[in-house]
Amino acid sequence: MKIFENILVTKNYRDHAHIALLQLNRPKVLNALSTDLMKEVVEAMLALDDDPNVRVIIMTGNDRAFAAGADIGQMMENSPIDQINDNRFRSWKQLSLVSKPIIAAVNGFALGGGCELAMSCDLIIAGDKAQFGQPEIKIGTIPGAGGTQRFTRAVGKSKAMLAVLTGDMIDAYAAEKAGLVAKVVPAETLMQEVFEICKVIANRAPVAVKLAKEAVNMAFETSLKDGMEFERRNFYLTFSSKDQKEGMKAFMEKREPKYEGN
Ligand code: CO8
């Protein structure tokens, strides 16, 4: 994998052949999401998605911040036309093309675009000192990459309004209670806990994992009727994989399945 300027990418994370780590790496500015950083995130994510050995991807920051938002210094003098020409949202859209599960491991601040980036992942595991928020209103703007949409779908209208209109942060436990975060763990064991979850997912049938991810995400895009239809078709599709035959055979034979990803 190529060397990037603003992120660190590790394959074979903790010597696991199927787990990769992508770490945001602009610690001096709390991992503020510059356009270059986001381009690198997408380039690396798409490369990991193409790598047949990788089954699960972790996205993380550092102890102090997952990311404290878009780079304010970079955009403060922008005109709307600068923003259009910069086309930074293209990167965000491309993230949704990644077919493998992405787990956000969040310690410290996940604010503004940082919270939105965590929400672009498939699930969020938080350290107990993590703080989430959409503070854009405090600097005279509003969220631009899902803070009014994904956040609202995750926590409901009233809690979303409170966060978006005040800009106040919520802690990890409040985020878990509201449904933004799947699980809160001690900050110091976050990466170990996330690794354990990734090992479980990496052990599942890879094609079924992709189809399951796709089906859950479809719940945010369609009516219930269409979503159910989509799910059923993906369910049928798993029956064309060798791994489905192996999974059910192994169950009947009372042994562990051996999945090969086809
Ligand atoms: N952009 C640029 N620099 C930042 C950012 C940021 N978002 N956040 C922190 N920094 C820098 C600070 O300027 C400071 O730099 P320096 O040391 O050179 O002065 C350094 O990081 C450390 O920050 P603080 O000294 O402020 O640390 P504190 O512990 O006192 O405070 C906070 C931490 C509370 C996180 C504080 O830094 C803060 O409020 N940051 C800004 C949070 C924010 O407003 N985020 C929203 C930004 S707008 C946005 O995300 C819109 C998204 C739109 C779509 C995304 C497109 C890419």
Side-chain angles (χ1 to χ4, degrees):
M1 175 70 70
K2 104 180 213 197
I3 306 291
F4 294 96
E5 270 180 43
N6 301 288
I7 61 171
L8 300 169
V9 182
T10 311
K11 288 189 192 176
N12 300 314
Y13 179 58
R14 297 189 180 203
D15 289 330
H16 194 298
H18 301 312
I19 302 177
L21 177 77
L22 188 158
Q23 184 173 14
L24 309 173
N25 192 32
R26 296 184 78 206
K28 286 190 184 142
V29 286
L30 306 185
N31 291 333
L33 306 171
S34 61
T35 305
D36 285 348
L37 178 145
M38 281 308 300
K39 280 185 184 154
E40 291 182 4
V41 165
V42 170
E43 185 182 338
M45 277 294 175
L46 295 179
L48 293 172
D49 205 31
D50 284 344
D51 184 329
N53 281 321
V54 175
R55 293 187 182 176
V56 190
I57 305 161
I58 303 169
M59 188 191 293
T60 196
N62 54 49
D63 289 350
R64 201 161 163 225
F66 178 78
D71 191 320
I72 299 171
Q74 189 183 48
M75 71 181 169
M76 59 188 288
E77 297 300 342
N78 276 182
S79 70
I81 303 305
D82 293 331
Q83 300 254 14
I84 289 168
N85 287 338
D86 185 60
N87 207 1
R88 56 171 60 103
F89 293 103
R90 191 180 55 187
S91 316
W92 292 75
K93 277 191 200 149
Q94 283 177 304
L95 265 187
S96 66
L97 301 176
V98 176
S99 64
K100 294 169 185 171
I102 308 173
I103 317 296
V106 176
N107 263 334
F109 299 110
L111 302 177
C115 187
E116 290 167 324
L117 184 60
M119 291 189 294
S120 308
C121 299
D122 296 305
L123 65 99
I124 303 174
I125 308 294
D128 56 2
K129 314 255 179 354
Q131 307 238 56
F132 296 83
Q134 296 294 157
E136 290 89 342
I137 202 81
K138 290 187 184 171
I139 53 170
T141 183
I142 70 165
T148 66
Q149 302 301 304
R150 286 204 175 101
F151 198 88
T152 306
R153 281 169 163 80
V155 308
K157 177 178 169 182
S158 205
K159 282 183 165 44
M161 284 289 187
L162 190 62
V164 169
L165 300 182
T166 65
D168 289 345
M169 298 183 234
I170 57 171
D171 66 24
Y173 291 105
E176 184 190 31
K177 196 167 163 222
L180 182 66
V181 158
K183 194 173 173 187
V184 180
V185 300
E188 42 305 339
T189 61
L190 174 68
M191 296 314 291
Q192 181 60 36
E193 299 261 3
V194 169
F195 181 60
E196 295 302 326
I197 293 169
C198 288
K199 277 200 293 188
V200 173
I201 298 172
N203 227 8
R204 305 299 184 220
V207 174
V209 166
K210 284 184 187 177
L211 293 174
K213 162 175 168 158
E214 194 183 41
V216 173
N217 280 330
M218 192 53 77
F220 296 96
E221 308 290 344
T222 60
S223 67
L224 181 60
K225 183 171 162 288
D226 290 346
M228 296 289 284
E229 194 58 41
F230 186 89
E231 177 192 87
R232 196 162 309 119
R233 282 168 199 281
N234 274 9
F235 170 71
Y236 293 151
L237 194 50
T238 60
F239 283 73
S240 64
S241 72
K242 286 185 190 152
D243 283 347
Q244 172 270 327
K245 300 286 175 286
E246 164 63 9
M248 295 194 180
K249 197 161 177 269
F251 175 82
M252 296 307 287
E253 292 170 359
K254 301 193 187 308
R255 61 171 174 83
E256 285 302 308
K258 200 170 170 312
Y259 294 126
E260 290 178 5
N262 54 23

